[in-house]
Amino acid sequence: KAGCIINIASAVGLKGMAGSSVYAASKAGVIGFSRSLSKELGPFDIRVNSISPGFIETDMTSGISSETKREVINATTLRRFGSPKKDIAYAVAFLSQAEFITGQCLEVDGGLNI
């Protein structure tokens, strides 16, 4: 039997963000959990990875003020928010098919954490 587990973390779990310490800690925990689980389940041919999205156009980011949104876009190399249907879905599809990748955290953040 083989399998694939993909957990969703956040760029905030890697970089941190003022006012988001609990959220950042929980997302960093998802990354550590995924890496540890990949070592436990690897011998059973089960791959475990995580994805750390940056700022994505979702309900969660819709309440961000226009000033903060402008700051985030300026801090992001690609100068835009990501798309859940394209950017995140494509990352999930890639990891689900990449049979020799495990224990990794794929940053899908438009260059926010460079």
Side-chain angles (χ1 to χ4, degrees), residues 52-113:
S52 285
F55 285 82
I56 306 297
E57 293 283 354
T58 64
D59 290 343
M60 185 175 167
T61 58
S62 67
I64 295 175
S65 72
S66 48
E67 179 183 337
T68 301
K69 189 170 187 175
R70 193 170 31 256
E71 289 172 5
V72 169
I73 288 171
N74 286 334
T76 303
T77 304
L78 295 181
R79 299 291 192 259
R80 64 178 176 85
F81 278 29
S83 164
K85 292 182 180 175
K86 291 196 306 186
D87 302 312
I88 304 306
Y90 289 162
V92 169
F94 167 72
L95 285 176
S96 70
Q97 296 173 36
E99 295 182 358
F100 200 61
I101 297 176
T102 193
Q104 301 303 306
C105 178
L106 179 61
E107 295 180 55
V108 183
D109 65 2
L112 179 66
N113 280 341

Side-chain angles (χ1 to χ4, degrees), residues 1-3 34-48 102-103:
K1 294 181 181 180
S34 299
R35 288 190 170 142
S36 294
L37 196 60
S38 74
K39 291 180 177 273
E40 293 175 20
L41 298 180
F44 303 100
D45 202 21
I46 298 172
R47 298 172 288 110
V48 184
T102 193

